[in-house]
Amino acid sequence: MGVIPPALGPSFDPATISLPNSRSHAEWTPFPDVVPAAPREGERNAFGGLTPAALATAWDAQLRNDIDTGLEALAELDDSSDPLTAWLAGFIRVQMLLASGRAAEAKAELPQMATREIAWIGHDLNSEALRGEVLVWIGDFEAARFALASVLHRTAAWRLPVTYGGPPTNLGQIVSLTNAQLRAQTAMGALHFLQGDAEKAHTWASAAEARSLNAMSKGDAGPPGSA
């Protein structure tokens, strides 16, 4: 993709983001019937980092919707010296808070989460996409549209590589950019649905489905929390 465009200023117009191309569901292979499994302690996660025990516990708790156990485990990682682990702790915390109906608490975590992502990989695309999702569920639709459109604009040139000559050396970037696009498309679909525009909601949701299937066809879809 080259250099990732920086965060956009207030002059950016979300209306410049056009709808993705519409495709029929019949063109796609259905999702495989696979039960997701959390990475275990010491295993590499989808972003290419080793999984510490507390992170493995949090991901497993997220799968079981055990919010209290998950948040308790994540608290152990707040002072992690590993930038990826520190960011993932915040990222998963926001997801768990949002899933449990605590959107206001999730929103309060967003600035630190974005700072940690920049420290890890040099951009805040996943954090901004998740911020847009949080804003959708809070009901701040205009702010959500701006956040999600900015992610889609900044990742417009990104395409998942078709073939590899060997194991990718930039796994973190590949997963990061793909997940950011996927989350932004999914949340944009939710935004339009909640605003009563079923046609646009379907178009964005279909684009997200196509992106997800494309990613899954090229390898492991990753652990819970990665998309």
Side-chain angles (χ1 to χ4, degrees), residues 85-105:
T85 298
W87 170 66
L88 280 172
F91 190 70
I92 299 168
R93 180 183 291 111
V94 170
Q95 288 182 307
M96 296 185 81
L97 289 171
L98 186 60
S100 60
R102 296 156 65 178
E105 292 179 63

Side-chain angles (χ1 to χ4, degrees), residues 121 140 149 157 159 189 208:
I121 203 166
D140 191 346
R159 297 292 182 274

Side-chain angles (χ1 to χ4, degrees), residues 84-210:
L84 172 57
T85 298
W87 170 66
L88 280 172
F91 190 70
I92 299 168
R93 180 183 291 111
V94 170
Q95 288 182 307
M96 296 185 81
L97 289 171
L98 186 60
S100 60
R102 296 156 65 178
E105 292 179 63
K107 184 179 180 182
E109 297 281 340
L110 295 173
Q112 183 182 61
M113 178 183 65
T115 298
R116 288 177 173 180
E117 185 177 14
I118 292 170
W120 165 52
I121 203 166
H123 65 70
D124 64 349
L125 289 167
N126 285 276
S127 298
E128 186 69 359
L130 184 53
R131 187 173 81 89
E133 184 177 343
V134 170
L135 291 169
V136 167
W137 296 115
I138 286 176
D140 191 346
F141 295 145
E142 288 309 308
R145 188 188 307 276
F146 185 96
L148 298 172
S150 70
V151 172
L152 294 168
H153 175 81
R154 294 168 65 195
T155 61
W158 169 247
R159 297 292 182 274
L160 193 66
V162 176
T163 59
Y164 299 92
T169 58
N170 61 336
L171 182 62
Q173 184 184 52
I174 291 172
V175 174
S176 173
L177 293 174
T178 302
N179 281 339
Q181 279 187 332
L182 175 59
R183 183 174 298 280
Q185 290 173 336
T186 302
M188 192 68 89
L191 169 65
H192 285 293
F193 178 79
L194 291 173
Q195 290 190 306
D197 193 332
E199 183 176 353
K200 287 184 179 179
H202 180 268
T203 299
W204 280 111
S206 296
E209 183 180 29

Side-chain angles (χ1 to χ4, degrees), residues 3-135:
V3 178
I4 298 170
L8 303 173
S11 61
F12 172 67
D13 182 3
T16 60
I17 299 298
S18 58
L19 284 169
N21 293 330
S22 179
R23 294 178 60 188
S24 166
H25 287 281
E27 298 178 53
W28 303 331
T29 303
F31 278 105
D33 186 14
V34 176
V35 178
R40 292 173 292 188
E41 179 183 0
E43 292 182 343
R44 290 204 176 274
N45 54 54
F47 296 96
L50 293 176
T51 304
L55 188 58
T57 298
W59 260 324
D60 180 68
Q62 186 181 31
L63 276 178
R64 295 183 289 101
N65 199 32
D66 185 349
I67 303 300
D68 290 339
T69 297
L71 293 178
E72 183 178 342
L74 292 173
E76 299 178 27
L77 302 172
D78 281 337
D79 296 325
S80 174
S81 60
D82 176 55
L84 172 57
T85 298
W87 170 66
L88 280 172
F91 190 70
I92 299 168
R93 180 183 291 111
V94 170
Q95 288 182 307
M96 296 185 81
L97 289 171
L98 186 60
S100 60
R102 296 156 65 178
E105 292 179 63
K107 184 179 180 182
E109 297 281 340
L110 295 173
Q112 183 182 61
M113 178 183 65
T115 298
R116 288 177 173 180
E117 185 177 14
I118 292 170
W120 165 52
I121 203 166
H123 65 70
D124 64 349
L125 289 167
N126 285 276
S127 298
E128 186 69 359
L130 184 53
R131 187 173 81 89
E133 184 177 343
V134 170
L135 291 169

